Amino acid sequence: MQLPDSLHPWRQWLEWFAPEQMPLFGDLLGRLDPILGPLRGQHQGGVPEPDGLGDLQRRGPYERLLSSEWLLADEVPEEFMRRVAVGEHLFLAPQYRSRQANRLIVVLFDAGPLQLGAARLVHLALLILLARRAQEAGAELRWGILQEAPRLHELDTSAQLKRLLSARTYHTVSDAHWQAWCAWLAEQPDQAGECWVVGQRLPRTDSQSCTHRVQIHRSLEGQSLSFELQGVTTRRVSLPIPEEGSAVRLLSGQFEAEVVAAAPAVKGTVPRVALNLPPVISSAGTHVALKLLDEDGMVVIKLPTEHQKKSLQVRRNLWSSGRVPLAATFSGRNLGAVLSQHDWLWFWKVPGLRAVEKPPREQLQLPPGTARLLPVVWLNGGRTGRLFLLDTQGHLAYWEAASGESAPRSPPAKTRRWADNVLGLAKVANETMAYVRSDGGRLYAHSVGTEGAASCGHVIGNAEGVSQVLFAASRLWHRSFGGCALLSVDNGKQRWQIISATGCSMPSERVDLAHGWKGLGLLRQYRGDPYSLVLIGPDQQTVALHSEGQQRVLFTAASDIVKISFCPMSGLVAALTSARELLVYSVPQRTLRLQIFCNQVAAKHKEGADA
């Protein structure tokens, strides 16, 4: 991004914003930077520690008097007394270890109703200025919200700016809020050299606990903002009200350099969903399903079109009480699931399959809780359908279902073993699935079509150290190998080995991710295109794409992502946040397909609900 010379000091943070937003921030940064003043960290307290002997001084205790002076007392006592009278004695002065000022800058923001609107943009600008201030001084910057429980955050990604904007409350700052922060900061091992408090009608503070107070409020005529910094001295500056269109986009979190177009604006509500299971995405990319929180079942959402005027299509699908979902998948637009209850497996809305007894644990290891959904693929071959399920120990099992006229007369399905030592399973093409198994220390990739026969194994590498497999969707799987990625972990960092499809010019590529980044999926949109890894960042809010050695942000969530799914067939990412906000993003189209809160509480559950 090309920036004017005046904005280069803040380039590292301004790259998070779109070019058209530079004038707004350039004006704010230019007006605020001159009045902040130099870093004035508080020096560490305590008794200074001696570090040997330093200089000679005319004053001091007589136990530090030079030895030559004591010789005068023995040999020439009159001269000794004269020197005492006129102050000519020389004393040894101790050298003390120098103490640097504390290099931690803490800034606490008021997120109450008095700071809504343009004042929040001033918060962003001030946070960027203080980040640069800390960087120049070799210090660290941490920020928090005055009205929230004490907790400090870093400023390392644009997601932190969104976190700041999303922190809103109807409560103004009280003395209790400030006292809670003071007590918490006093208990921390690293004491703050500077503590900034930013807001309006701030509580009373002292210079020891708060070095800088910033009061931001609208002028009486409402045409400007007043920024008043109270530190060693008081400085004021008047700031213009930003242009409404740019301000609204920034306040809504649309400020990344690659601006994500807003999702289609459709009316509709979604029932409250559980946060312990990931979203389920249809292969066609038309529907997303989530587990309901207040009822036994799932809610299915049809993704809206770009110019849709109708309300969002949402339908609740309920099953019998007490049954626990183990796996869920779509067949077209219809959702089906494998449910567990006592000693039985139930195939909910899976055509042609009836309940079966649970197989022994050595044949199929099923999780006792509901912390995850097992990989599952439904292949419909016309007269016969097959449901494949991969358990937690690498056992791949399947059930056959008769369809058509013979379905009602078919005997109950049996749990059958397909393969062992399987690392991964996914649907990769129309009525085709792929899986990778380990055998004799080597990894083999197979595909299975509607006829129910596995392809010959394609050797893709050694099994040692590989813990996960991601599959790329491709029609090449119909007749050969369509590409996958193998995960190994090195010193806590993920390393992905991308194995290209048959016939590619580059057979293999290694991708080393930075600490905390994790791979979600593998995408190859067209034949001849490079492979791309879909990633989630260490902040649990940033979703990015790694392709051809470059990494770019796709979107960031306003709160932590607790569950996330990727569909290689449709290229959709579905992220569910801690605030029960569902974001569905199309990687091939680089568009946000849906953004909606799934927190509608039914009337019978409203009393005592933890929305």
Side-chain angles (χ1 to χ4, degrees):
M1 181 188 300
Q2 295 294 327
L3 290 175
D5 293 341
S6 60
L7 296 181
H8 268 242
W10 307 285
R11 180 185 183 90
Q12 175 181 342
W13 300 275
L14 292 179
E15 287 181 343
W16 296 340
F17 298 90
E20 59 269 21
Q21 295 165 343
M22 289 303 103
L24 187 154
F25 272 99
D27 184 48
L28 288 176
L29 296 174
R31 291 172 183 264
L32 294 177
D33 185 50
I35 72 169
L36 297 189
L39 179 67
R40 299 181 182 274
Q42 295 181 357
H43 288 271
Q44 300 173 0
V47 179
E49 298 178 8
D51 188 21
L53 297 175
D55 202 357
L56 296 176
Q57 295 179 346
R58 291 289 186 184
R59 294 183 179 182
Y62 272 87
E63 58 265 23
R64 295 203 185 109
L65 186 68
L66 283 178
S67 301
S68 58
E69 300 288 350
W70 286 116
L71 288 175
L72 284 175
D74 293 335
E75 301 296 333
V76 190
E78 295 83 0
E79 177 63 16
F80 182 86
M81 295 305 297
R82 186 192 69 80
R83 292 195 177 201
V84 171
V86 298
E88 292 183 357
H89 279 164
L90 294 175
F91 299 85
L92 289 171
Q95 177 71 35
Y96 294 101
R97 291 179 182 173
S98 61
R99 291 180 174 269
Q100 291 185 341
N102 292 329
R103 295 299 185 182
L104 175 64
I105 299 177
V106 173
V107 53
L108 305 176
F109 293 100
D110 173 6
L114 300 178
Q115 293 290 280
L116 293 177
R120 304 306 299 275
L121 299 183
V122 180
H123 291 185
L124 294 184
L126 181 60
L127 191 59
I128 291 173
L129 287 169
L130 293 179
R132 171 65 177 171
R133 180 188 186 91
Q135 187 183 75
E136 285 185 323
E140 294 183 352
L141 174 70
R142 298 291 185 270
W143 65 273
I145 301 298
L146 281 164
Q147 289 96 328
E148 293 182 355
R151 179 188 176 190
L152 293 177
H153 311 280
E154 298 181 357
L155 182 63
D156 49 6
T157 67
S158 60
Q160 298 299 332
L161 297 181
K162 281 195 172 185
R163 183 192 290 268
L164 174 58
L165 290 174
S166 64
R168 298 170 185 167
T169 178
Y170 292 109
H171 303 288
T172 57
V173 183
S174 65
D175 290 334
H177 292 138
W178 173 241
Q179 290 167 7
W181 270 102
C182 286
W184 186 82
L185 289 172
E187 296 173 354
Q188 303 309 302
D190 297 326
Q191 298 298 305
E194 284 187 354
C195 182
W196 295 63
V197 179
V198 183
Q200 185 177 349
R201 299 181 188 173
L202 297 172
R204 187 183 301 274
T205 60
D206 59 79
S207 59
Q208 187 66 27
S209 58
C210 174
T211 59
H212 298 76
R213 290 167 54 93
V214 176
Q215 301 271 6
I216 304 173
H217 58 85
R218 280 183 179 262
S219 61
L220 293 177
E221 70 278 6
Q223 300 300 314
S224 62
L225 289 174
S226 174
F227 182 98
E228 181 180 293
L229 172 60
Q230 301 166 351
V232 178
T233 60
T234 299
R235 305 182 183 93
R236 296 181 181 86
V237 65
S238 180
L239 304 173
I241 299 293
E243 186 269 326
E244 183 177 356
S246 299
V248 169
R249 287 192 295 272
L250 283 167
L251 291 172
S252 63
Q254 299 177 25
F255 49 74
E256 284 93 356
E258 182 175 348
V259 178
V260 179
V266 292
K267 297 180 179 179
T269 59
V270 180
R272 193 166 56 160
V273 299
L275 298 179
N276 61 334
L277 291 179
V280 180
I281 308 170
S282 67
S283 300
T286 56
H287 295 76
V288 173
L290 301 104
K291 173 71 173 64
L292 290 167
L293 177 64
D294 301 314
E295 298 175 283
D296 291 309
M298 301 187 78
V299 58
V300 177
I301 305 170
K302 183 179 180 181
L303 298 180
T305 58
E306 184 177 358
H307 302 292
Q308 178 171 314
K309 296 182 179 179
K310 296 181 179 179
S311 298
L312 189 68
Q313 295 186 30
V314 179
R315 68 177 189 269
R316 292 158 52 251
N317 294 261
L318 305 180
W319 53 66
S320 299
S321 177
R323 296 179 183 177
V324 178
L326 299 178
T329 185
F330 278 92
S331 176
R333 63 180 183 180
N334 299 315
L335 179 70
V338 181
L339 308 177
S340 171
Q341 187 178 32
H342 305 306
D343 295 329
W344 289 85
L345 291 179
W346 299 82
F347 301 98
W348 176 73
K349 292 192 175 182
V350 180
L353 286 180
R354 288 178 280 175
V356 299
E357 287 190 73
K358 284 185 179 179
R361 295 171 64 90
E362 58 269 15
Q363 184 180 0
L364 197 62
Q365 182 79 30
L366 301 175
T370 59
R372 56 172 294 185
L373 291 175
L374 297 174
V376 62
V377 173
W378 167 253
L379 298 180
N380 189 0
R383 292 186 176 182
T384 303
R386 291 179 179 84
L387 185 71
F388 291 85
L389 180 73
L390 178 62
D391 73 0
T392 56
Q393 300 299 314
H395 304 307
L396 180 57
Y398 75 102
W399 298 268
E400 284 190 359
S403 58
E405 297 180 357
S406 60
R409 302 188 302 272
S410 62
K414 294 182 179 180
T415 303
R416 304 174 187 271
R417 171 188 169 277
W418 185 272
D420 292 328
N421 301 319
V422 176
L423 274 71
L425 167 75
K427 190 172 184 179
V428 290
N430 290 332
E431 303 307 331
T432 303
M433 77 165 193
Y435 66 93
V436 169
R437 66 179 180 88
S438 172
D439 186 10
R442 309 192 77 178
L443 295 176
Y444 298 85
H446 300 266
S447 61
V448 180
T450 54
E451 71 282 356
S455 66
C456 296
H458 182 91
V459 180
I460 57 175
N462 294 324
E464 184 179 0
V466 177
S467 57
Q468 186 182 347
V469 181
L470 298 177
F471 297 88
S474 171
R475 288 181 294 177
L476 291 173
W477 285 104
H478 286 304
R479 61 182 186 276
S480 59
F481 172 68
C484 68
L486 309 176
L487 170 65
S488 58
V489 179
D490 183 19
N491 292 325
K493 300 179 182 179
Q494 288 197 354
R495 171 178 294 169
W496 289 93
Q497 193 74 25
I498 300 177
I499 314 298
S500 301
T502 305
C504 288
S505 57
M506 183 182 294
S508 179
E509 176 189 0
R510 195 180 86 176
V511 177
D512 293 309
L513 300 182
H515 185 76
W517 286 89
K518 297 179 181 179
L520 296 176
L522 185 65
L523 180 67
R524 191 189 189 203
Q525 191 171 0
Y526 300 109
R527 189 171 182 177
D529 285 355
Y531 287 91
S532 302
L533 271 175
V534 182
L535 313 172
I536 184 170
D539 59 3
Q540 294 300 304
Q541 292 179 304
T542 304
V543 177
L545 190 70
H546 186 286
S547 181
E548 296 184 293
Q550 301 294 321
Q551 186 168 309
R552 60 193 305 179
V553 173
L554 296 177
F555 68 92
T556 56
S559 50
D560 289 352
I561 296 173
V562 293
K563 293 295 178 181
I564 189 167
S565 303
F566 174 75
C567 174
M569 291 277 291
S570 61
L572 291 184
V573 177
L576 182 63
T577 73
S578 58
R580 291 193 173 89
E581 184 181 24
L582 174 66
L583 299 104
V584 182
Y585 183 89
S586 172
V587 179
Q589 299 174 4
R590 301 292 196 274
T591 57
L592 196 61
R593 295 286 307 277
L594 179 66
Q595 183 175 10
I596 193 168
F597 284 94
C598 307
N599 54 11
Q600 183 69 26
V601 183
K604 62 180 180 179
H605 297 289
K606 283 187 177 179
E607 185 175 352
D610 59 337

